[in-house]
Amino acid sequence: MLKKFIILIAISLGLGFFSQKIGLNPHQAIAISIFSASVLGTLFFWDFRLGFVFIGITVLLLTRTIDLENVIKFASLDVILFLVGMMVLVGLLKEAGFFAWIVELILRIRNMTGRKFVVVISVISALLSTMTSEVVSIIFMVAAIFEICDYFEVDPVPYLIISVLATNIGSAATVLGNPIGILIASKAGLSFEDFIVKAFPLAVVCLVATILIVIVWYRKSIRELDTNIKKLGANEILIRLISVPPGKELKISLAVFGATLFFIALHHRLELLWNLEPNTILLTMPLLSSGCVMIWKWKRARDYIEKDVEWWTLLFFMLLFAQAGALKYTGATDVLAKNLAHLSGSSPPILIGIVLWVSCIGSSILDNVVLVAAFIPVIQSFQSLNLDLQPLWWALLFGGCLGGNITLVGSTANIIALGILEKEKNIRMTFFRWFWIGLTVGVVTTIIVWIALIILPFYH
Amino acid sequence: MKVKEVMSKDIVSIKPDDNAREALELLMKMEISGLPVIDEKGKLVGMFTEKDILKNTLPSYIEKVGKFVYEENPKSIRRKLQHLSHMKVAQLMRKDVVTTTEDTTLCEVARIMLMEKARRIPVVDKITKLVVGIIARGDVLKALAKEAEIG
């Protein structure tokens, strides 16, 4: 503990001194020091991360590295409120039985075969995470997978890994899948439509590639499942295992969620039509819907806000965004951007490669939000260098999501799924059992994205 | 009235290394909801309760899945219950146990029981920290009711 703490202090101070040595001003050096302390804090002291950013932001303010007005501006309340609204809606869906209903549907698959199971869990994992966020969807997928594997007496680990891989890929497909999606959309001025047209198809290609890889990789496990299905017969008990009372509440909840998705999907058109600022409807739609929900279910409204909204994470995001903002405010990221552009000879393919692979490898170890928050001001600084930003935003999005597959701590979905595995089955995942398949899928999908971003003029 | 006047002093306890299945059978035989777990040195190390066994038997994700109804018993239930005979009490017991002392008032014990959702609270000696008795929710209520009648 003490050793890690000393390493953290040494590295962040070292980075500060180093940046001053290479010509950055003291404020830029402090901003870099504090931000790196927060990054290392998430790496070494996950449970203390909120405490770290609270202290960090205080230091930035006391040293006049950034002023209060800019802290508030960079804290990106728009993104935070969007996430609050979505979390309330997802809480409502959960309470109404939507997710249990999805589990029920999966348990009812007729004429199950090993391959069919792999395809179904991959597609549903990806779709659920793209609509409701990876953190939520993985819990239900794991529940369904465990019940089915229990019933057919096979090892659930391969299927759990497959589901997590698909969840992380799906999370890149829309602004709803991952916090970095809405963060990038709001900072880059990208619309939901842009995501559907540009990110969604790319995520589908990545998902297909992943399904092909895992079918070959886990062929033995799939064969074993096939044998046991033949041996144990149809899934009669599974079909009846759980039920969700089809109440009015579930229907209304689905209608509210569906309407929210509908307006989010059309937000760009509506904003043009009503002459609103870009992304106004995208960011306010979840607030409008969750506002209605809290009036409809006023007795439960406090529970939605207090239990379903992850305040711990959101407060961490806010202050982290503000710290990343300090990097921009002091001009530290301009220097970094200039150096990066110089390093790549201002060649777009190389720059895309750098952003994609750095965010991919970085988010395999770090929380992808930390990484993306740091990268955003750098990419914004490229604008003054007259570079095409579009492919860089997509590179950042996909790098941040796909990198999460590489290691077992790469994304929140991985951590949640492995937590349940340990609790339920007493199985502790080893680093390498995850790493080889994760690395294969992570590298192959990132290469697919790299090629698409470079050769398709569509992304420029 | 104080705890020492109400608590039961003949404490049946189990050891952390005891077999979980046998401990469960003891619970059922005694028709109580939980037993204190005490190590060789006489120190209280946990409580072994029906609730913890049930919690271990049902999938941990049930709280997070939202509204649904079990129409059948999942296969895992039987397996997990059978697995109890391979488990030790220490693996299932809850380790953060609320305790009380002999000189505590009954109302304070009742308050702790409500706040901590505990049904049986071990009574420990203030100095030696050894378990000297156990007090159940029923004991507290009975004593309080009796006191009210006299008054």
Side-chain angles (χ1 to χ4, degrees), chain A residues 61-351:
Chain A
L61 282 168
L62 291 180
T63 52
R64 289 193 205 152
T65 307
I66 189 168
D67 55 20
L68 201 52
E69 197 182 326
N70 277 291
V71 165
I72 291 164
K73 187 181 119 198
F74 284 115
S76 312
L77 204 56
D78 49 352
V79 173
I80 301 297
L81 285 176
F82 175 89
L83 293 171
V84 169
M86 287 310 295
M87 284 172 178
V88 168
L89 287 180
V90 167
L92 171 79
L93 282 183
K94 189 173 96 179
E95 191 190 51
F98 171 71
F99 295 105
W101 178 65
I102 300 275
V103 173
E104 194 189 350
L105 284 186
I106 300 173
L107 299 185
R108 284 190 179 170
I109 302 168
R110 298 265 171 192
N111 308 321
M112 178 95 86
T113 64
R115 278 191 189 178
K116 191 171 171 183
F117 183 49
V118 169
V119 174
V120 168
I121 58 170
S122 309
V123 172
I124 298 185
S125 299
L127 273 180
L128 263 190
S129 95
T130 206
M131 285 193 310
T132 62
S133 101
E134 46 150 18
V135 186
V136 177
S137 66
I138 192 65
I139 297 171
F140 311 102
M141 292 311 299
V142 172
I145 289 168
F146 277 7
E147 291 301 344
I148 290 175
C149 291
D150 259 347
Y151 185 81
F152 291 114
E153 294 164 12
V154 290
D155 178 18
V157 174
Y159 306 101
L160 177 119
I161 295 178
I162 291 169
S163 173
V164 174
L165 296 174
T167 298
N168 286 329
I169 292 170
S171 78
T174 71
V175 293
L176 306 169
N178 199 304
I180 68 168
I182 184 65
L183 185 60
I184 292 173
S186 111
K187 303 296 170 199
L190 295 168
S191 68
F192 191 86
E193 222 169 287
D194 291 326
F195 271 71
I196 289 294
V197 173
K198 296 187 174 165
F200 197 87
L202 205 45
V204 171
V205 176
C206 291
L207 184 66
V208 172
T210 304
I211 294 175
L212 295 177
I213 294 171
V214 295
I215 283 182
V216 177
W217 193 282
Y218 288 118
R219 56 189 181 281
K220 267 190 204 154
S221 308
I222 295 172
R223 218 176 297 138
E224 193 196 340
L225 178 59
D226 276 330
T227 322
N228 285 17
I229 290 173
K230 277 194 197 109
K231 201 168 75 191
L232 290 161
N235 43 343
E236 280 310 316
I237 294 180
L238 277 184
I239 288 172
R240 292 194 310 263
L241 184 69
I242 64 166
S243 74
V244 181
K248 205 171 80 189
E249 204 178 299
L250 179 57
K251 281 183 197 149
I252 299 178
S253 307
L254 274 177
V256 172
F257 192 67
T260 313
L261 289 188
F262 178 77
F263 283 107
I264 285 180
L266 290 181
H267 78 98
H268 184 55
R269 310 268 153 174
L270 295 173
E271 282 150 9
L272 289 178
L273 189 69
W274 293 329
N275 222 349
L276 289 166
E277 258 183 76
N279 285 355
T280 310
I281 294 189
L282 171 67
L283 292 163
T284 49
M285 209 43 223
L287 284 185
L288 177 66
S289 311
S290 55
C292 294
V293 167
M294 283 190 283
I295 292 173
W296 170 37
K297 312 207 97 196
W298 57 275
K299 280 187 183 162
R300 289 267 300 120
R302 259 174 197 275
D303 276 357
Y304 291 135
I305 293 296
E306 284 165 12
K307 290 184 189 154
D308 291 316
V309 178
E310 289 259 357
W311 288 108
W312 176 273
T313 312
L314 292 182
L315 280 173
F316 172 71
F317 284 175
M318 279 176 86
L319 297 185
L320 183 83
F321 296 162
Q323 290 187 2
L327 294 176
K328 186 183 162 71
Y329 181 72
T330 56
T333 46
D334 291 334
V335 181
L336 197 61
K338 219 177 271 169
N339 285 333
L340 266 182
H342 183 72
L343 194 73
S344 66
S346 289
S347 133
I350 297 178
L351 209 51

Side-chain angles (χ1 to χ4, degrees), chain B residues 96-110:
Chain B
D96 46 340
V97 187
V98 275
T99 58
T100 185
T101 55
E102 287 176 282
D103 293 325
T104 311
T105 58
L106 287 187
C107 246
E108 172 59 15
V109 177

Side-chain angles (χ1 to χ4, degrees), chain B residues 7-72:
Chain B
M7 68 183 193
S8 51
K9 282 172 195 146
D10 49 339
I11 325 149
V12 178
S13 69
I14 46 180
K15 289 194 222 48
D17 285 338
D18 283 353
N19 184 288
R21 165 134 204 162
E22 285 163 19
L24 173 64
E25 276 161 15
L26 185 62
L27 271 191
M28 294 197 272
K29 207 173 89 193
M30 293 180 64
E31 293 182 337
I32 51 170
S33 60
L35 281 169
V37 185
I38 296 174
D39 66 9
E40 295 91 37
K41 290 172 197 150
K43 219 185 112 211
L44 178 75
V45 288
M47 277 295 268
F48 182 78
T49 68
E50 287 174 345
K51 194 174 163 189
D52 296 310
I53 303 167
L54 266 187
K55 212 170 174 183
N56 175 68
T57 308
L58 258 66
S60 59
Y61 43 77
I62 48 167
E63 310 167 16
K64 295 179 190 146
V65 172
K67 190 164 84 184
F68 74 99
V69 179
Y70 269 123
E71 303 284 356
E72 297 274 344

